[in-house]
């Protein structure tokens, strides 16, 4: 049983049949308007957040939108009251970007429809749609989209910030596979944005994250043929082998096929050994089993393979199953979080002191640190998203009791700050901008985005990021 504490029976049900129902935060019944001070208001607001922490901020009103007309009415009410608007789709923001003091909180969680055109290979989905639900629907049609790694990440925020999901190294960021959006602007007007219509807004929607200046009602997604094989290869190393593992990963990284998402995951209770260690995880998505075995052969031939304490052979698993396992082992619901991240190209030798300190100071399992071998393509389309490097480092601190907040709430921030001179910025998926403002896109892109925000939302109806970086303090991309 891994660090999540779930029984072997439960894990086997997921592993074999992908049959466990995920009910963690699905909204029930029709949405309604909640006003500050009324009975049930606090519970309704906190239910919009995956992070179990209560940051104390409360809006004046929560609108749980059921359809487009609800959104239009909510924005009109906010304009009348001179309120700013925060938006959430699934509430998976670690930093709880949508929980702000005063104003209107607009929940899009119930706008979660899925329409699939198999002939054109296009899906139309609501922002509240979970990646898990989309993947299961597409599987029936033998189609594929690079959904998020956690099953309950809604597409709204995921697609706006970039979208690092299953297959993204090969198929591109999820936001690259957005071909159109149905939107409501700050003045209440409804538009469609694509490369040929309202192309400036389309540019902004792909990478602006919580700084986007409109409400997305529907995404139009480009679909792909479903992979013939998806699976996972795993090796687990004890804490004492940290330096050898990271140095090997740095060396092998550029040679790893784009069909493989090589990850190093440090945790206080690693799978199989239940002690501090590094899980070398290699999800692979290919046309067939033969190609998959060839793609992960570098693990079987690794010079550090003999150091592994636990090895899992290549196992076929659906992407939805991979997401469910990740959720149970490393992203469970109902816990308190602190996160931070950075893009890094510095040599591992420069980072080792910081990595060792991270490993020795983690909050309890399933807290973890992710090192992702990203190796981005050089042919991204022109869009707001514009900052990435060969390696990505993210810290996820997790704990269960409010009494531990003071002890752990700054852990991720403090550890990243100690090595941030080696980073070029962050990605918005795991941002911690309220505590550590940092660079999240190219300076020229941010300048262009600010111009568009002023043009389409001159009264600043929509809130932006929780923090902004000072360009003078951050290296250029």
């Amino acid at each position: 049983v891994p660090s999540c504490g779930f029984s072997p029976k439960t894990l086997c049900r997921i592993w074999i049949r992908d049959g466990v129902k995920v009910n963690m935060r699905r909204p029930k019944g029709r949405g309604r308007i909640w006003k500050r001070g009324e009975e049930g208001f606090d519970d309704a607001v906190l239910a919009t957040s995956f992070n179990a922490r209560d940051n104390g901020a409360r809006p004046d009103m929560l609108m749980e939108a059921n359809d487009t007309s609800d959104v239009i009415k909510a924005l009109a009410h906010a304009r009348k009251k001179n309120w700013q608007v925060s938006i959430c789709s699934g509430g998976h923001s670690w930093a709880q970007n949508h929980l702000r003091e005063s104003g209107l909180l607009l929940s899009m969680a119930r706008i979660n429809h899925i329409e699939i055109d198999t002939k054109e290979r296009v899906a139309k989905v609501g922002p509240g749609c979970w990646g898990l639900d989309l993947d299961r629907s597409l599987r029936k049609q033998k189609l594929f989209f690079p959904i998020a790694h956690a099953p309950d990440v809604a597409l709204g925020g995921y697609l706006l910030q970039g979208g690092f999901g299953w297959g993204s190294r090969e198929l591109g960021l999820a936001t690259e596979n957005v071909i159109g959006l149905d939107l409501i602007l700050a003045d209440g007007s409804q538009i469609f944005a694509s490369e040929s219509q309202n192309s400036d807004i389309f540019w902004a929607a792909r990478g602006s994250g919580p700084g986007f200046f409109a409400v997305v009602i529907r995404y139009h997604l480009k679909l792909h043929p479903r992979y013939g094989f998806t699976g996972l290869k795993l090796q687990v190393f004890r804490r004492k082998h940290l330096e050898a593992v990271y140095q090997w990963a740095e060396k092998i990284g550029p040679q790893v096929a784009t069909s493989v998402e090589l990850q190093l995951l440090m945790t206080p209770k690693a799978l199989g050994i239940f002690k501090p260690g590094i899980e070398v995880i290699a999800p692979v998505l290919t046309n067939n089993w033969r190609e998959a075995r060839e793609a992960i052969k570098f693990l079987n031939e690794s010079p550090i393979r003999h150091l592994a304490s636990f090895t899992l052979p290549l196992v076929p698993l659906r992407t939805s199953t991979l997401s469910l396992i990740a959720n149970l082992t490393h992203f469970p619901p109902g816990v308190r979080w602190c996160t931070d991240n950075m893009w890094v190209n510095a040599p591992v030798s420069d980072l080792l002191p910081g990595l060792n300190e991270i490993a020795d100071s983690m909050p309890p399992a399933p807290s973890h640190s992710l090192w992702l071998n990203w190796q981005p393509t050089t042919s991204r389309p022109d869009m707001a998203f514009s900052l990435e490097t060969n390696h990505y480092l993210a810290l996820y601190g997790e704990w269960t009791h409010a009494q531990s907040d003071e002890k752990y709430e700054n852990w991720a921030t403090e550890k990243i700050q100690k090595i941030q001179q080696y980073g070029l910025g962050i990605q918005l998926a795991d941002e911690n901008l309220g505590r550590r403002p940092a660079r999240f896109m190219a300076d020229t892109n941010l300048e262009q985005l600010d111009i568009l925000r002023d043009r389409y939302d001159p009264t600043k109806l929509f809130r932006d990021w929780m923090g902004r970086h000072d360009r003078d303090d951050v290296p250029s991309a």
Side-chain angles (χ1 to χ4, degrees), residues 236-239 267-279:
V236 180
F237 298 82
R238 294 186 184 276
R239 161 69 179 87
T267 175
K269 193 179 291 186
L271 294 171
I273 63 174
F274 315 113
K275 295 179 179 180
I278 306 99
E279 300 168 2

Side-chain angles (χ1 to χ4, degrees), residues 1 52 78 106 127 136 138 152 184 190 192 199 250 300 304 308 315 342 388 397 438:
V1 184
L106 177 60
R136 285 173 168 171
L138 292 178
D152 53 345
I184 300 178
Q190 299 181 60
F192 175 75
S199 58
E250 177 185 39
N300 296 327
I304 63 169
V315 178
M342 71 180 195
E388 57 186 339

Side-chain angles (χ1 to χ4, degrees), residues 187-295:
D187 62 5
S189 59
Q190 299 181 60
I191 67 165
F192 175 75
S194 67
E195 287 187 351
S196 59
Q197 301 180 55
N198 299 299
S199 58
D200 55 348
I201 298 177
F202 182 66
W203 176 93
R206 300 200 296 175
S208 59
F212 190 48
F213 46 81
V215 183
V216 181
I217 297 297
R218 182 181 297 106
Y219 288 96
H220 300 243
L221 308 178
K222 177 177 67 176
L223 304 178
H224 304 270
R226 197 158 192 91
Y227 288 98
F229 177 92
T230 59
L232 180 78
K233 171 76 175 178
L234 173 73
Q235 292 177 345
V236 180
F237 298 82
R238 294 186 184 276
R239 161 69 179 87
K240 64 182 179 180
H241 298 307
L242 182 151
E243 296 187 9
V245 172
Y246 277 84
Q247 288 171 338
W248 163 80
E250 177 185 39
K251 184 176 181 179
I252 197 68
Q255 305 170 38
V256 176
T258 56
S259 59
V260 178
E261 186 177 309
L262 177 61
Q263 308 170 26
L264 306 186
L265 202 148
M266 287 196 298
T267 175
K269 193 179 291 186
L271 294 171
I273 63 174
F274 315 113
K275 295 179 179 180
I278 306 99
E279 300 168 2
V280 177
I281 305 171
V284 56
L285 293 79
T286 60
N287 292 320
N288 52 57
W289 183 285
R290 179 185 60 79
E291 290 183 5
R293 285 187 297 179
E294 182 67 24

Side-chain angles (χ1 to χ4, degrees), residues 98-240:
H98 63 288
L99 294 185
R100 308 287 190 98
E101 184 63 31
S102 71
L104 173 71
L105 172 56
L106 177 60
S107 171
M108 303 293 288
R110 288 170 174 78
I111 302 181
N112 55 10
H113 54 274
I114 301 175
E115 304 171 33
I116 300 173
D117 185 331
T118 56
K119 183 178 180 181
E120 298 296 326
R121 288 184 181 170
V122 171
K124 299 178 183 179
V125 301
C129 172
W130 283 11
L132 176 71
D133 297 332
L134 176 62
D135 189 62
R136 285 173 168 171
S137 296
L138 292 178
R139 187 171 71 212
K140 299 173 183 177
Q141 309 297 333
K142 297 183 178 180
L143 294 171
F144 186 83
F145 185 81
I147 64 163
H149 296 112
D152 53 345
V153 171
L155 293 173
Y158 172 70
L159 293 172
L160 285 177
Q161 57 86 8
F164 297 73
W166 303 119
S168 283
R169 290 197 67 219
E170 191 165 66
L171 301 177
L173 298 164
T175 199
E176 290 182 72
N177 294 277
V178 174
I179 56 177
L181 307 97
D182 295 308
L183 304 163
I184 300 178
L185 298 180
D187 62 5
S189 59
Q190 299 181 60
I191 67 165
F192 175 75
S194 67
E195 287 187 351
S196 59
Q197 301 180 55
N198 299 299
S199 58
D200 55 348
I201 298 177
F202 182 66
W203 176 93
R206 300 200 296 175
S208 59
F212 190 48
F213 46 81
V215 183
V216 181
I217 297 297
R218 182 181 297 106
Y219 288 96
H220 300 243
L221 308 178
K222 177 177 67 176
L223 304 178
H224 304 270
R226 197 158 192 91
Y227 288 98
F229 177 92
T230 59
L232 180 78
K233 171 76 175 178
L234 173 73
Q235 292 177 345
V236 180
F237 298 82
R238 294 186 184 276
R239 161 69 179 87
K240 64 182 179 180

Side-chain angles (χ1 to χ4, degrees), residues 259-416:
S259 59
V260 178
E261 186 177 309
L262 177 61
Q263 308 170 26
L264 306 186
L265 202 148
M266 287 196 298
T267 175
K269 193 179 291 186
L271 294 171
I273 63 174
F274 315 113
K275 295 179 179 180
I278 306 99
E279 300 168 2
V280 177
I281 305 171
V284 56
L285 293 79
T286 60
N287 292 320
N288 52 57
W289 183 285
R290 179 185 60 79
E291 290 183 5
R293 285 187 297 179
E294 182 67 24
I296 58 91
K297 188 165 64 174
F298 71 95
L299 281 168
N300 296 327
E301 299 176 350
S302 162
I304 63 169
R305 181 187 178 189
H306 69 284
L307 299 176
S309 297
F310 175 75
T311 298
L312 185 73
L314 178 61
V315 178
L317 295 167
R318 295 168 173 168
T319 45
S320 54
T321 307
L322 288 170
S323 293
L324 287 166
I325 292 173
N327 221 61
L328 290 175
T329 56
H330 295 106
F331 300 111
V335 300
R336 310 167 81 82
W337 294 87
C338 65
T339 65
D340 212 327
N341 74 89
M342 71 180 195
W343 288 111
V344 59
N345 268 342
V348 162
S349 57
D350 291 341
L351 297 169
L352 283 175
L355 291 172
N356 277 301
E357 186 171 339
I358 289 168
D360 293 335
S361 63
M362 281 188 181
S367 295
H368 58 283
S369 166
L370 168 68
W371 174 275
L372 175 62
N373 179 57
W374 184 238
Q375 308 290 335
T377 177
T378 58
S379 58
R380 299 279 187 225
D382 183 23
M383 56 185 176
F385 181 92
S386 49
L387 184 59
E388 57 186 339
T389 62
N390 288 333
H391 302 122
Y392 176 67
L393 175 65
L395 309 187
Y396 306 86
E398 307 170 48
W399 63 99
T400 55
H401 301 296
Q403 298 93 312
S404 300
D405 283 356
E406 185 175 354
K407 182 177 181 180
Y408 296 128
E409 63 185 358
N410 285 316
W411 170 77
T413 304
E414 291 172 353
K415 300 312 171 189
I416 289 292

